[in-house]
Amino acid sequence: MALTLEALQVLDAIARKGSFSAAAAELHRVPSAITYTVQRLEEGLGVTLFDRGGHRAVLTDAGRVVLEQGRPLLEAANELEATVRRVATGWEAELRIAVDGIFPLTALYPLLERFYAEQPRVRVRLSREVLAGAWDALLDGRADLVVGATGEGPPGGGYAVRTIGEVPLVPVAAPGLPLCELEGPLEPEDLRPYRVVAVADTARNRPERSAGLQNGQPVLTVPDQEAKVAALLRGLGVAHLPRHAAAPHLESGALRALSLRDPMPPVPTYLAWRTPVRGRALHWFLEALAEEEPLLARLAGNGG
């Protein structure tokens, strides 16, 4: 007899309950059926799974190995059954949310707490996208929902958009750079000799975008916002940071805000999702985000 989920369920019940009869009661089967299943499995594997000499059924070494490695299979099967039931009632097995690098990801954590309180088994996958990468992830199916998308959405439709709020940008540099010693609002030519630290656009199948770059200005491209901040702290260049990302380093003195003659305006951010909305998890988040839009707008603008 080959190992089956049914046989593993029987072994698990016997090991937990301590007897064949108690396992039979839990599984709503007659004791003889439990005994028969174990005997067939022992014959098929050529090993003894239980020591039946005492009052309790005790696993042998071989039985412990079978059960230890079999329990993850039982858990996976149970999870699969639960997932199928959820999907049948309209809940997605997984909801993918892409958050643009300009937006504070932690703004979503209160919503996640509320969601998990209602649907703890739905998997939520958060990812980071940058510039055109947010729209690219949405239209290519890598994300069901985008939070903090910037710039105009691609033509062609198939998605809906709601405004969140504007993210203020702060030009910054490490205090050790000579640029920080210049007086008065800085002109573009004052910035041009200095390297710009920029996060790479994550778009895969659409034209990449850039922001805050001047012609001829050297560029250090990094993979994410955390790497950008680290490079700025090391004095490797200058850049604009979202105010919520710059604030702690400005307060500590590790970075200094630059005064520009022509500062970059705040960046509008958006929610975007594919239409029509079919899954209940996506619908839940859209409703919850609608309720929290004033909070999200404050987070986008203040980072607090």
Side-chain angles (χ1 to χ4, degrees):
M1 178 182 182
L3 269 174
T4 63
L5 290 175
E6 179 186 7
L8 288 173
Q9 288 173 338
V10 168
L11 292 184
D12 178 63
I14 297 171
R16 286 186 292 102
K17 294 297 184 178
S19 72
F20 284 44
S21 59
E26 179 179 280
L27 297 175
H28 305 291
R29 299 172 65 180
V30 296
S32 59
I34 299 298
T35 301
Y36 178 73
T37 298
V38 173
Q39 289 175 342
R40 289 288 307 277
L41 184 57
E42 288 178 329
E43 292 171 1
L45 294 176
V47 297
T48 300
L49 299 174
F50 286 98
D51 180 353
R52 300 170 176 81
H55 295 294
R56 292 176 58 87
V58 179
L59 286 166
T60 63
D61 290 342
R64 278 192 294 273
V65 170
V66 171
L67 191 54
E68 286 172 1
Q69 299 193 22
R71 274 178 172 155
L73 298 178
L74 286 176
E75 293 172 1
N78 292 335
E79 177 61 26
L80 177 58
E81 289 180 5
T83 298
V84 170
R85 286 194 293 270
R86 287 196 303 272
V87 171
T89 59
W91 290 97
E92 301 93 312
E94 178 179 84
L95 182 70
R96 298 159 299 174
I97 303 176
V99 184
D100 190 277
I102 200 172
F103 196 83
L105 185 116
T106 52
L108 296 183
Y109 288 175
L111 291 183
L112 285 171
E113 290 175 354
R114 286 173 48 195
F115 180 74
Y116 283 140
E118 297 181 28
Q119 294 294 327
R121 309 299 291 180
V122 174
R123 178 182 298 175
V124 177
R125 184 183 298 272
L126 298 178
S127 64
R128 275 297 200 186
E129 299 289 347
V130 178
L131 295 171
W135 297 106
D136 187 79
L138 183 69
L139 297 190
D140 284 358
R142 302 196 309 275
D144 306 301
L145 172 66
V146 170
V147 179
T150 62
E152 294 185 2
Y159 61 91
V161 175
R162 273 203 320 253
T163 301
I164 295 177
E166 294 186 333
V167 176
L169 298 176
V170 182
V172 297
L177 292 183
L179 184 69
C180 295
E181 305 303 322
L182 298 180
E183 295 183 0
L186 301 175
E187 303 289 347
E189 53 266 27
D190 295 324
L191 297 174
R192 191 167 289 117
Y194 291 87
R195 184 183 302 106
V196 171
V197 182
V199 180
D201 191 315
T202 55
R204 302 179 186 178
N205 300 305
R206 284 164 181 80
E208 297 182 1
R209 290 170 25 213
S210 61
L213 302 181
Q214 300 184 45
N215 289 335
Q217 196 170 15
V219 181
L220 168 63
T221 303
V222 294
D224 52 43
Q225 188 82 267
E226 290 74 18
K228 180 177 181 176
V229 170
L232 290 169
L233 292 172
R234 299 282 296 189
L236 294 177
V238 300
H240 285 79
L241 285 178
R243 187 161 65 194
H244 62 82
H249 306 290
L250 295 174
E251 291 172 5
S252 69
L255 292 176
R256 186 174 297 176
L258 304 174
S259 175
L260 304 184
R261 179 77 66 185
D262 187 20
M264 289 183 64
V267 178
T269 60
Y270 306 93
L271 293 176
W273 61 95
R274 295 295 298 268
T275 54
V277 177
R278 293 188 175 89
R280 294 178 66 181
L282 177 56
H283 184 75
W284 188 100
F285 270 92
L286 290 175
E287 285 194 339
L289 286 165
E291 296 171 2
E292 298 289 346
E293 277 179 3
L295 172 61
L296 293 181
R298 289 200 303 275
L299 289 168
N302 303 320

